[in-house]
Amino acid sequence: MTEVTVDRPLQDDRYGRTRTPKRGLTRTSKIIAAAAVLAVAVVIAVWAFRPQTDPTTPRTLDYSVVDSSSTQVTVGIFPDRTRDVHCIVQATNDNEAVVGFTEVTVPAAADNDPNSPRQLDIDLATTQLAASGHVDSCWFE
């Protein structure tokens, strides 16, 4: 039996020269791409772990309209270890007009647990009969 061999250039003659595969990224390009990915990761990490600028959302736990001159509101406010938390508590009438208003402060303390709310019972003086009482907003100072 005879062995038949075919030369490789046979296809090149028929279809033209075959393309050589493209080169991959150069070493410099890979270093620049890795540095860019690392910079983006650092920016995301700094943004994600920055200090909180607003207190955790306070919660109105209960309210009780005593009479036309007084409303009691119970709120849960999340304390902070290094900053005082100030909150606005208000009473509103049937038309959502504010009829009682006060600010409360939860002082900063090293033993505060920022993950569990501190319950505050607040007596609000009102100008007319209230329909509800609630904590409106909080901020750090």
Side-chain angles (χ1 to χ4, degrees), residues 47-60:
W47 181 78
F49 296 110
R50 73 186 188 283
Q52 191 174 358
T53 56
D54 294 327
T56 305
T57 305
R59 301 185 194 278
T60 302

Side-chain angles (χ1 to χ4, degrees), residues 8 25 37 43-45 54 81 97:
R8 178 148 168 58
L25 295 175
V37 167
V43 167
I44 290 172
D54 294 327
R81 292 185 175 148

Side-chain angles (χ1 to χ4, degrees), residues 7-8 17 38 40-41 48 52 55 61 73 76 79-80 97 113 115 141:
D7 290 335
R8 178 148 168 58
R17 187 171 172 185
L38 182 65
V40 167
Q52 191 174 358
L61 303 175
V73 182
D80 194 72
D113 182 9
N115 297 318
E141 194 163 294

